[in-house]
Amino acid sequence: MTSTQSNSKGVAIITESAQGIGRSIAIRLAGDGYDVAINDLESNKENSEEVKKEIVAEFLERRVLIVLENVSVEEDVKGLVESTAKEFGRLNVVSCLQQVHCQTHLIIATSDDFESVLSVNVKGTFYSYKYAAQQMIAQGEGGRIIGASSLAGKKGKSTYAAVPLCMPCAYCASKFAIRGLTQSTAIELGRNGITVNAYAPGTIQSAMRKFRELCFNIGW
């Protein structure tokens, strides 16, 4: 049975959805009637399986696909979109949640430190927008693309309150870039009936944040 034959509202890809914000988005979209493709790294396979189990148990008619790919690698993102479209027959929504931080100060950060943040946060979003748009245009039915900026993408920060050893400049730069990427992509894809938006969440008390706070408190 394809998604067009079921009572599915559509098909959604949610990147970085094994935990945190992405997990919540995946569960919410499933609850709203979407079949979902959960994406995260291979290292988060166990968490991805738990999210799938939770969705299947709570929303019996929903279908869930796990695709373990690295969003900072272009071919992986292309494969993510192709695998989802092949499995479900279409793609209607893509939620791009890419965020990594650099845990060092600006004055001692290396080019690799800075590039590692931009590679995931900016390139990962760019690849997701690109291949989602290609698929949606080919379908000719429009679509919804959603990126993740941040309050740090609206106003620069000098440090993080709980984790002052992080390098906010790289994270802020990446989130400001996502706003520009989103706005320009929205203009470009509007003619195809594809909306492109970004949201700007504040601090989320995720497992990763708790771990960073613990490391700081014990002097790591």
Side-chain angles (χ1 to χ4, degrees):
M1 177 182 293
T2 67
S3 58
T4 54
Q5 294 172 311
S6 72
N7 66 348
S8 170
K9 188 174 181 179
V11 175
I13 290 174
I14 307 94
T15 66
E16 200 172 301
S17 50
Q19 57 193 5
I21 298 174
R23 171 184 175 277
S24 296
I25 292 173
I27 293 172
R28 175 57 187 265
L29 285 173
D32 286 344
Y34 287 87
D35 294 324
V36 297
I38 296 170
N39 162 255
D40 218 301
L41 298 172
E42 179 71 34
S43 58
N44 279 325
K45 181 178 180 179
E46 185 175 341
N47 287 342
S48 298
E49 293 286 356
E50 288 300 316
V51 176
K52 178 177 180 177
K53 289 178 183 177
E54 185 173 348
I55 291 173
V56 171
E58 186 170 354
F59 311 108
L60 300 179
E61 296 181 332
R62 294 282 60 80
R63 294 180 298 157
V64 183
L65 173 69
I66 295 176
V67 185
L68 301 174
E69 301 283 11
N70 186 340
V71 294
S72 67
V73 178
E74 184 169 8
E75 285 302 310
D76 281 13
V77 179
K78 181 180 179 182
L80 167 62
V81 171
E82 290 177 346
S83 297
T84 302
K86 181 178 180 180
E87 176 71 17
F88 295 127
R90 57 177 171 162
L91 176 62
N92 308 100
V93 177
V94 173
S95 173
C96 315
L97 176 67
Q98 282 82 249
Q99 44 188 4
V100 296
H101 302 265
C102 179
Q103 294 191 212
T104 186
H105 288 297
L106 167 68
I107 58 175
I108 59 173
T110 66
S111 295
D112 287 342
D113 291 331
F114 195 79
E115 174 62 27
S116 66
V117 176
L118 299 187
S119 180
V120 175
N121 296 357
V122 182
K123 286 185 178 180
T125 301
F126 163 67
Y127 298 147
S128 298
Y129 284 12
K130 173 182 176 179
Y131 289 104
Q134 288 182 1
Q135 178 64 34
M136 291 173 182
I137 291 171
Q139 292 172 183
E141 301 173 352
R144 305 287 180 262
I145 300 175
I146 306 152
S149 183
S150 167
L151 291 182
K154 301 180 76 172
K155 182 178 181 180
K157 295 179 178 292
S158 61
T159 187
Y160 291 116
V163 196
L165 294 182
C166 284
M167 184 175 76
C169 66
Y171 184 73
C172 289
S174 71
K175 293 303 180 177
F176 268 86
I178 288 172
R179 288 181 63 202
L181 176 63
T182 299
Q183 291 175 13
S184 59
T185 303
I187 296 170
E188 180 178 344
L189 299 181
R191 72 195 70 176
N192 301 107
I194 300 170
T195 63
V196 188
N197 295 280
Y199 59 100
T203 300
I204 303 296
Q205 191 61 268
S206 64
M208 178 59 72
R209 181 177 177 82
K210 290 179 181 178
F211 175 73
R212 293 205 309 267
E213 289 176 356
L214 175 63
C215 291
F216 173 68
N217 290 335
I218 64 178
W220 285 10

